[in-house]
């Protein structure tokens, strides 16, 4: 699919949250995280860590997700922030905004929110002082 795969071995799972598990609280991880159960809270990769978060069919997250690589085939109620790659598989259901660098959406996936490219988010410009604003208006107007 993508030429630039994450540097983790494909399919590497360091942490598995099984289908009968419900976690209430924030989860911080590195490496490969595979969620088949339910997380009620934020799921964040450690800053600067090579991390892949995979949400399996039947799994759910009720909270924000932040990781370099995110693969979703379950349900997310919250915003998703992916600094490298986001994959929405056929059964993915996302209710929230998605911040991505590269995105892949399979037929059947659903997103109720906005797709926001991380490199296209404009930083607020510094306002010039009063004199500069007057000169700018004179030049343009």
């Amino acid at each position: 699919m993508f030429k630039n795969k994450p540097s983790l071995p494909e399919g590497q799972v360091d942490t598995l949250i099984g289908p009968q598990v419900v976690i209430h609280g924030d989860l911080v991880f590195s490496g490969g995280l595979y969620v088949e159960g339910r997380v009620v809270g934020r799921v964040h990769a450690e800053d600067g860590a090579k991390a892949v978060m995979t949400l399996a069919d039947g799994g759910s997250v009720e909270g924000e997700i932040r990781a370099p690589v995110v693969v979703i085939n379950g349900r997310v109620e919250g915003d998703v922030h992916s600094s490298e790659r986001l994959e929405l598989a056929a059964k993915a259901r996302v209710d929230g905004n998605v911040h991505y660098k590269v995105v892949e959406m399979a037929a059947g996936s659903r997103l109720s929110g906005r797709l926001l490219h991380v490199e296209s988010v404009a930083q607020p410009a510094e306002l010039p002082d009063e004199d500069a604003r007057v000169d700018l208006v004179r030049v343009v107007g």
Side-chain angles (χ1 to χ4, degrees):
M1 288 188 223
F2 290 103
K3 293 179 183 173
N4 296 328
K5 289 286 188 181
S7 54
L8 291 172
E10 188 168 333
Q12 175 180 329
V13 175
D14 297 306
T15 306
L16 169 66
I17 299 174
Q20 303 302 317
V21 177
V22 178
I23 294 178
H24 290 272
D26 295 345
L27 181 62
V28 179
F29 75 100
S30 63
L33 171 65
Y34 193 84
V35 179
E36 293 178 327
R38 181 174 168 218
V39 177
V40 180
R42 297 181 304 164
V43 178
H44 286 206
E46 289 181 354
D47 288 338
K50 294 177 177 148
V52 177
M53 189 270 191
T54 303
L55 183 61
D57 177 21
S60 68
V61 174
E62 297 170 33
E64 179 183 73
I65 297 173
R66 281 185 185 269
V69 178
V70 180
V71 179
I72 299 174
N73 198 26
R75 181 170 196 79
V76 177
E77 293 180 20
D79 290 351
V80 178
H81 299 262
S82 173
S83 59
E84 290 179 21
R85 190 182 81 240
L86 170 69
E87 294 180 26
L88 298 176
K91 295 182 180 180
R93 303 293 179 259
V94 179
D95 294 318
N97 295 328
V98 171
H99 304 258
Y100 69 94
K101 184 173 182 180
V102 174
V103 65
E104 176 183 341
M105 293 180 71
S109 61
R110 283 193 264 178
L111 170 65
S112 297
R114 294 173 44 196
L115 281 169
L116 302 164
H117 191 264
V118 292
E119 293 178 345
S120 67
V121 177
Q123 298 296 323
E126 189 174 311
L127 292 176
D129 61 20
E130 282 297 316
D131 293 333
R133 276 189 255 161
V134 171
D135 290 340
L136 181 63
V137 171
R138 287 183 194 147
V139 171
V140 173

